[in-house]
Amino acid sequence: MSLLSEYIFYLPHIFFTVFSLTSLSLTAIPIIINSIRGLLRGEPNVDELVSLAIIAMIGMGKYTPAAMVAFIMTLGSLLEEHAAGRARSNIETIAAQHPTHAIILRDNRFVEIPLEQVAIGNHILVRPGDIVPVDGKIINGESSIDESSLTGESMPVEKSPGNMAYAGTTNQNGVLQIEALRIGENSTYGKIVSLIKEAENQRIPTRRIIDKFIKYYTPIILIATGVVWFITGENIYRAITVLVVSCPCALILASPVSTIAALSSAARLGILIKGGRYLETCADIDKVVFDKTGTLTTGEPRIKRIIPLNGNKKNEILQWAAKAEAGSEHPIAKAVLSFARKEGIDVNFKGRTHSHIGFGVESFQSNQHIAVGSERFFKQISIPISEDAKNSELSILDAGEAPLFVSKDNEIIGLIIIEDCIRPESLKIVENLKKTGIDRIAIFTGDTKTVACSVAKQCKVPLDAVYAELLPDQKQNYLRIFQDSGEKVCYIGDGTNDGPALAQANVGMSIGSRENTIALETADIVFMRQGLEHLPFVLKLGKNTKKTININLFFATSFNFTMIILAALGILTPVLGAIGHNIGSLTVVLNSIRLTRFNKKKA
């Protein structure tokens, strides 16, 4: 009977021991393995300290407290990951919106093949509800396409034969046939996905400082733990609790979760930010420089009129100019070619063309030399400007318009007057920047001073902050001068010929183009919607992100220090320490994901 009583007495103890060991195998072993892997890689690991605490309790035979600590730490990690996942949701939605297969036309029938087998030139069938798998030209069918994954714009875009369709967008209501032009990572969507993944992995300056601190943190805590153990004598529980509460999870989470939340908030509005470090830099910007053409203006110049000289006809001038500009991707070239086609002029050119970036273009055909460009360009290639041409230019400049000279066989045959409209939001954006405290605003352009000043007046930018007739390398040099004087500069260009300036600026921003993906490669931040409306939002988001990170760091540091003191005084047990540790980490995560709700109205 006594043996039965003893068995019944020890039964709960045996049950709790088995239960604790089972729990430890599921929760503690992964924590310990993760800490060992970190040590082998030479990387700081937040699991090292708690692993030592768990091992110490197991060595003392305290399986239940060890299991409770391991369970609480694991549960806390899952809750943190769930909360951080909310911040990452918009980014993951973008990355996930890409099909794995495509339906192509082969041997007069449509067959489904893996996306990696699609080749340029294939004809692809896109049904209602399908995600477009490639960038391509619509050759048959009409439909509405949701392009919000690229631009953030919720309104669908009507498409018909001749229009472009882009990978990652969603076909809504019609059947389309598309000729593949850009596939895989070369598509606009592919570039965005790849850049977003890179942005998540980039470490901002604050995070790099934290990483350096963590390398010294563990040895310091181990020394502190040893001191507590030495002072308290046989009461090792205080030392174990110090190890548990010392894990710097909150400190390590302070920066990356805030960054991901901010990137997510921007992605929702069609803003591609290539890394958290650019957000952090946005917080310190005190000067904004706009490229004129394609940024403050629409970047879609139009032919306003043609002035013939020396008895030449308008259509002849337009024809020679169009042939010279054929093949060029410059906005002015597109304007000339578009106007020529509307006039029914043949724009095919099979001769030799030489483009002078920032100046103009020369072409040679059937022993005839054609040149199109600015007055500076003609001086550079030694073609004299006639008196009539000079007088015409002066009257054009007085009207705030831009003239384009056209010559044939070293003789000026006429001028083409180009106009480029101001973006409707440009004035409002400049005014909003001034309200936020950024009153140092400048304009760069390769255009003439007169034309640039006309734009500056409309945007209320001081005329002494207008820098005209600049080549790409000159824009870069001026930015370097600004920076040498201590200014943090944000440069906004159209991504076409602003590469050097975008690279030189502290933050380079560009208005993206789905037809031309250069902006995705050259700028740090890209507005996928065609406009500047989100510029103040991005700068304010940068300030809020930096502020959030600083609050997180202050809280994490003070909270950890307080918990260590309470543990050393014996006020906390290992289990309470594990609970307190997770409360601190979750507080940092929840504070960070508030950035996902940051929007234009709050900015």
Side-chain angles (χ1 to χ4, degrees):
M1 188 69 180
S2 61
L3 288 174
L4 181 61
S5 300
E6 289 181 12
Y7 176 75
I8 293 172
F9 177 78
Y10 282 109
L11 187 60
H13 178 72
I14 294 170
F15 172 77
F16 277 113
T17 300
V18 172
F19 181 80
S20 298
L21 290 172
T22 303
S23 177
L24 282 168
S25 66
L26 296 174
T27 57
I29 290 177
I31 293 173
I32 295 169
I33 290 174
N34 193 43
S35 66
I36 293 171
R37 285 176 178 169
L39 289 171
L40 292 175
R41 289 195 300 263
E43 297 175 355
N45 194 308
V46 297
D47 291 331
E48 294 165 0
L49 297 172
V50 76
S51 295
L52 289 174
I54 291 171
I55 291 170
M57 284 187 282
I58 292 173
M60 295 167 59
K62 304 295 183 181
Y63 303 123
T64 301
M68 292 178 69
V69 168
F71 174 76
I72 292 168
M73 297 298 285
T74 302
L75 179 63
S77 295
L78 292 173
L79 291 173
E80 291 162 17
E81 183 60 33
H82 173 71
R86 290 176 56 192
R88 194 180 285 109
S89 59
N90 286 322
I91 296 173
E92 289 179 342
T93 299
I94 290 176
Q97 190 154 328
H98 203 286
T100 57
H101 289 72
I103 302 173
I104 71 165
L105 183 63
R106 180 180 288 173
D107 299 328
N108 294 321
R109 65 190 184 94
F110 286 103
V111 295
E112 188 173 39
I113 64 171
L115 191 60
E116 58 267 20
Q117 295 180 15
V118 174
I120 292 175
N122 283 161
H123 287 190
I124 297 172
L125 180 70
V126 184
R127 301 162 299 189
D130 284 353
I131 296 172
V132 180
V134 299
D135 286 2
K137 183 184 291 186
I138 297 173
I139 55 176
N140 191 16
E142 296 182 352
S143 183
S144 298
I145 294 184
D146 177 4
E147 296 187 342
S148 58
S149 60
L150 291 182
T151 65
E153 181 58 62
S154 58
M155 293 298 295
V157 181
E158 298 297 325
K159 299 284 185 176
S160 57
N163 295 146
M164 286 289 292
Y166 301 96
T169 59
T170 305
N171 184 29
Q172 294 199 326
N173 50 25
V175 178
L176 299 174
Q177 283 189 44
I178 297 172
E179 180 185 355
L181 300 180
R182 293 192 296 257
I183 59 179
E185 292 184 357
N186 292 321
S187 69
T188 304
Y189 189 80
K191 289 181 184 292
I192 290 174
V193 170
S194 132
L195 290 169
I196 283 176
K197 288 179 179 177
E198 287 178 19
E200 275 202 85
N201 293 327
Q202 280 190 17
R203 296 192 171 190
I204 67 173
T206 303
R207 176 66 187 276
R208 290 197 291 270
I209 293 170
I210 293 171
D211 288 346
K212 289 180 180 178
F213 171 72
I214 293 298
K215 290 181 180 179
Y216 303 101
Y217 183 80
T218 300
I220 292 171
I221 292 300
L222 290 175
I223 293 170
T225 303
V227 170
V228 171
W229 188 10
F230 177 78
I231 293 173
T232 56
E234 296 181 357
N235 190 359
I236 194 173
Y237 267 103
R238 293 193 187 187
I240 290 173
T241 307
V242 169
L243 288 174
V244 172
V245 301
S246 297
C247 291
C249 292
L251 190 64
I252 289 175
L253 291 169
S255 168
V257 180
S258 298
T259 301
I260 291 171
L263 292 176
S264 170
S265 180
R268 190 170 59 247
L269 294 175
I271 305 167
L272 173 60
I273 302 175
K274 293 185 181 178
R277 63 192 177 101
Y278 303 117
L279 264 177
E280 189 166 307
T281 306
C282 280
D284 301 321
I285 293 298
D286 49 28
K287 182 162 191 160
V288 173
V289 179
F290 292 96
D291 175 60
K292 178 184 74 70
T293 307
T295 306
L296 288 174
T297 65
T298 61
E300 298 175 357
R302 296 176 294 180
I303 306 299
K304 189 172 183 180
R305 65 183 188 277
I306 298 173
I307 301 176
L309 298 173
N310 300 327
N312 291 282
K313 296 181 179 179
K314 291 182 180 180
N315 277 6
E316 290 176 347
I317 295 166
L318 184 59
Q319 183 177 37
W320 288 116
K323 287 185 174 183
E325 298 280 13
S328 173
E329 291 298 317
H330 194 279
I332 289 179
K334 290 181 180 179
V336 172
L337 293 169
S338 175
F339 191 75
R341 291 190 184 100
K342 286 180 183 178
E343 296 295 317
I345 294 174
D346 177 23
V347 298
N348 292 321
F349 177 67
K350 298 179 181 179
R352 180 166 55 89
T353 298
H354 177 54
S355 180
H356 300 255
I357 297 175
F359 287 106
V361 63
E362 289 182 276
S363 65
F364 305 87
Q365 183 179 27
S366 302
N367 296 321
Q368 290 179 314
H369 174 262
I370 309 298
V372 182
S374 64
E375 181 184 359
R376 281 193 304 162
F377 174 52
F378 280 84
K379 290 179 179 178
Q380 179 180 309
I381 59 176
S382 302
I383 294 179
I385 305 293
S386 65
E387 194 65 30
D388 287 344
K390 189 66 178 175
N391 291 335
S392 297
E393 180 192 26
L394 290 174
S395 63
I396 293 167
L397 292 175
D398 287 341
E401 299 170 334
L404 200 65
F405 289 88
V406 182
S407 74
K408 177 183 175 186
D409 294 332
N410 296 330
E411 180 187 2
I412 303 293
I413 61 175
L415 288 87
I416 298 176
I417 287 77
I418 307 290
E419 66 173 354
D420 190 5
C421 300
I422 299 290
R423 288 187 184 274
E425 73 272 17
S426 292
L427 172 59
K428 185 177 179 181
I429 293 301
V430 172
E431 291 177 339
N432 284 344
L433 288 175
K434 292 177 180 178
K435 288 178 183 178
T436 60
I438 301 176
D439 54 2
R440 282 175 277 182
I441 299 171
I443 295 176
F444 283 2
T445 181
D447 218 333
T448 63
K449 184 80 172 180
T450 306
V451 173
C453 286
S454 174
V455 172
K457 288 176 183 176
Q458 295 178 65
C459 296
K460 295 185 178 179
V461 175
L463 298 186
D464 60 359
V466 174
Y467 300 79
E469 300 182 16
L470 300 181
L471 297 176
D473 61 321
Q474 291 175 314
K475 294 179 182 180
Q476 182 183 26
N477 289 336
Y478 272 112
L479 289 177
R480 190 179 292 116
I481 292 170
F482 296 155
Q483 291 168 329
D484 289 343
S485 67
E487 293 178 314
K488 299 285 187 182
V489 185
C490 170
Y491 181 82
I492 303 113
D494 62 3
T496 303
N497 60 2
D498 293 319
L502 289 168
Q504 180 64 43
N506 297 91
V507 176
M509 301 186 188
S510 185
I511 298 173
S513 167
R514 285 156 288 174
E515 288 82 6
N516 182 356
T517 59
I518 295 175
L520 295 177
E521 299 164 359
T522 56
D524 305 319
I525 297 175
V526 183
F527 303 113
M528 293 307 297
R529 290 184 186 178
Q530 285 294 305
L532 291 169
E533 60 177 314
H534 293 318
L535 173 58
F537 166 81
V538 171
L539 295 177
K540 187 67 175 178
L541 179 64
K543 291 181 184 295
N544 272 32
T545 303
K546 188 171 183 178
K547 179 181 177 181
T548 301
I549 291 172
N550 289 336
I551 291 172
N552 285 344
L553 291 175
F554 175 78
F555 170 79
T557 304
S558 56
F559 185 83
N560 256 33
F561 181 76
T562 302
M563 294 287 284
I564 290 170
I565 296 298
L566 293 175
L569 294 174
I571 297 173
L572 296 177
T573 64
V575 173
L576 289 176
I579 294 172
H581 164 270
N582 285 312
I583 289 173
S585 299
L586 284 171
T587 301
V588 166
V589 171
L590 293 174
N591 183 54
S592 298
I593 64 174
R594 290 187 306 111
L595 287 169
T596 60
R597 298 192 296 273
F598 188 74
N599 52 38
K600 284 171 58 181
K601 185 177 180 180
K602 291 182 180 179

